Amino acid sequence: MSQNAAIPSLLPVYSRIDLAFERGEGCWLHTRDGRRFLDFSTGIAVNGLGHCHPHLVQALHDQASRLWHVSNLFRIEQLERLADRLVAHSFAETVFVGNSGAEAMEACIKMARRFQWHRGQAERNRIVTFEGAFHGRTMATISAAGGAKMVDGFAPLLEGFDRVPFGDWAALEAAVTDRTAAVMMEPIQGEGGIRPLERQFLADLRELCDAHDILLVFDEVQCGMGRTGRLFAYEHLGVTPDIMGLAKGLGGGFPIGACVATARAASGMTASTHGSTFGGNPLACAVANAVLDVMLEDGFLDQVNARGAYLREQAEGLAGRHPDEIELVRGTGLMLGIKTRRNNLEFAAELRAAGLLVVPAADNVVRLLPPLVISEAEIDQAIEMIESCCRARAA
Ligand SMILES: *Cc1c(COP(=O)(O)O)cnc(C)c1O
């Protein structure tokens, strides 16, 4: 197809908001012309410690003047330390580090298939996933999640994913066969509109997986790393996966992702079966270790819980006062969704005009993803901005 219109120098795959920031400080973003915004978008749940956290800046500077990159041909101290710490603080016994969420989920998918192959069950190579999911933009991850917006025009998709409606137990049970290697899901859907799964559903799922030797894979790329008030969302849910993908908050703004797993689930991943040139480089791992330094400090996650409860209470209050604008509030910790009764993109634009940055999601939701270091006073400011928008709409 020929097209005469010139293409911008930047591939136009994003419809960007016409707003550029010059610097960030804590929970605030500043433009060159002196405007400031309260950041409840955090680069989509990435800047968990806010912008330019002094401990992260220091770690990056220190590492930058020492060593950036050597490749996995050699031992990498920062990477080994990161892996040890992720193992010490999760169900996992082993860790692969890459550069993004999609790469983390690719590793999860490969590991699950390889597990079955390795134990002589190569025919068990299918993965059950959920509608409304988001696992990234690579061929495997779009094939896993489906959805017209992501897959149209990109066929042939990768074979081997069986999608079921979100939270539909009967459909899930029916989709699990003797060809199933794993069930893969976000325990709380992010892009899907901060949709949580019932605890009982997850408990039943764990049982189903155990009964059939199927691996349970959690995508905690968005809901992990302190977002929910625990280091990982699965800790809230009473269900432990076999494999888990992490990214976003792990680097606090520096690109890094990880696939973490039990020894058993990872048993097929022997030397030369997977890799990444940049994965686990000293710069990224130094920053991720600095993120962990802060998140593992005594009381840090307790504070996230307290702030999450406070934000929830305030948001519920808002919903109660403006039932014509807000249908409901859902989510856990500092990962909240406000389901609006009008258009969520318009709502987000109005909030932005009032000085608050939020992230739209599916199901007419706007996501509140503040830095985990948010103060009560800043939460109050955000609630006031949302309230002013609700009032203006009602008027
Ligand atoms: C963002 C996200 C991804 C993809 O991460 P990228 O770093 O953009 O590749 C995967 N899964 C979930 C749940 C996400 O929120």
Side-chain angles (χ1 to χ4, degrees):
M1 209 179 351
S2 87
Q3 219 166 358
N4 293 325
I7 193 165
S9 58
L10 201 52
L11 189 73
V13 291
Y14 281 98
S15 17
R16 290 167 203 276
I17 294 155
D18 185 17
L19 196 53
F21 304 104
E22 187 196 20
R23 84 197 149 81
E25 197 183 342
C27 302
W28 297 86
L29 282 168
H30 301 260
T31 60
R32 189 152 296 162
D33 58 9
R35 287 176 294 159
R36 66 172 202 159
F37 294 82
L38 185 51
D39 187 10
F40 273 42
S41 64
T42 50
I44 316 183
V46 167
N47 306 87
L49 302 181
H51 298 277
C52 295
H53 189 289
H55 186 62
L56 269 56
V57 171
Q58 188 69 49
L60 184 62
H61 278 181
D62 288 352
Q63 190 58 47
S65 54
R66 220 175 278 139
L67 184 68
W68 290 22
H69 178 80
V70 292
S71 102
N72 291 291
L73 292 173
F74 304 98
R75 289 183 58 181
I76 301 171
E77 283 173 9
Q78 296 80 0
L79 170 61
E80 290 176 11
R81 176 153 186 261
L82 178 62
D84 286 346
R85 295 172 90 189
L86 288 174
V87 163
H89 294 279
S90 75
F91 72 92
E93 294 162 285
T94 190
V95 175
F96 174 81
V97 173
N99 308 285
S100 68
E103 201 184 337
M105 297 319 299
E106 285 272 342
C108 293
I109 292 165
K110 286 178 70 176
M111 183 183 285
R113 284 186 172 171
R114 182 91 180 176
F115 164 77
Q116 303 290 0
W117 177 89
H118 183 71
R119 65 193 194 105
Q121 309 227 357
E123 73 290 349
R124 289 178 67 160
N125 55 21
R126 305 193 64 85
I127 298 179
V128 176
T129 59
F130 285 95
E131 285 171 8
F134 183 77
H135 299 299
R137 295 291 197 152
T138 60
M139 285 307 303
T141 53
I142 64 171
S143 302
K149 202 172 73 175
M150 283 195 289
V151 306
D152 278 359
F154 296 118
L157 298 178
L158 197 70
E159 248 303 298
F161 295 98
D162 299 306
R163 234 172 347 272
V164 299
F166 183 77
D168 183 336
W169 180 258
L172 176 73
E173 237 180 352
V176 167
T177 70
D178 53 9
R179 297 281 318 277
T180 304
V183 176
M184 180 168 94
M185 69 171 66
E186 305 158 77
I188 305 168
Q189 282 194 349
E191 305 304 308
I194 314 292
R195 293 198 294 175
L197 279 161
E198 301 283 330
R199 288 176 73 93
Q200 191 56 49
F201 184 98
L202 289 168
D204 293 346
L205 175 58
R206 180 71 266 184
E207 219 170 273
L208 181 75
C209 288
D210 290 342
H212 297 89
D213 243 327
I214 290 166
L215 297 176
L216 182 57
V217 181
F218 275 1
D219 179 345
E220 291 216 19
V221 168
Q222 190 161 151
C223 62
M225 298 312 295
R227 249 314 123 194
T228 62
R230 296 286 189 95
L231 195 54
F232 305 110
Y234 78 83
E235 298 174 63
H236 269 298
L237 302 167
V239 164
T240 304
D242 303 290
I243 304 176
M244 174 170 75
L246 298 172
K248 294 203 162 92
L250 180 58
F254 202 98
I256 185 169
C259 162
V260 311
T262 63
R264 182 167 182 268
S267 55
M269 302 302 283
T270 48
S272 311
T273 54
H274 194 55
S276 167
T277 297
F278 294 125
N281 90 53
L283 270 183
C285 293
V287 178
N289 273 309
V291 167
L292 282 180
D293 290 343
V294 177
M295 288 192 182
L296 296 174
E297 257 169 37
D298 255 2
F300 180 87
L301 292 170
D302 293 337
Q303 183 174 298
V304 175
N305 267 312
R307 295 288 143 76
Y310 183 71
L311 175 61
R312 177 68 179 246
E313 187 189 302
Q314 299 303 310
E316 300 273 11
L318 262 179
R321 291 192 294 281
H322 302 280
D324 295 340
E325 300 299 327
I326 299 175
E327 186 179 331
L328 56 85
V329 176
R330 65 190 174 205
T332 310
L334 289 172
M335 184 178 185
L336 287 193
I338 292 183
K339 185 165 161 139
T340 71
R341 290 203 190 273
R342 304 212 190 148
N343 181 291
N344 62 336
L345 297 178
E346 277 172 25
F347 194 47
E350 286 165 24
L351 292 176
R352 194 159 62 241
L356 180 68
L357 305 176
V358 299
V359 197
D363 200 26
N364 225 26
V365 162
V366 296
R367 276 174 281 179
L368 305 184
L369 303 166
L372 307 182
V373 295
I374 190 91
S375 67
E376 281 198 4
E378 286 163 326
I379 290 176
D380 290 340
Q381 280 178 278
I383 293 294
E384 264 175 49
M385 292 185 219
I386 302 173
E387 183 123 51
S388 72
C389 287
C390 289
R391 275 205 215 96
R393 280 164 160 265

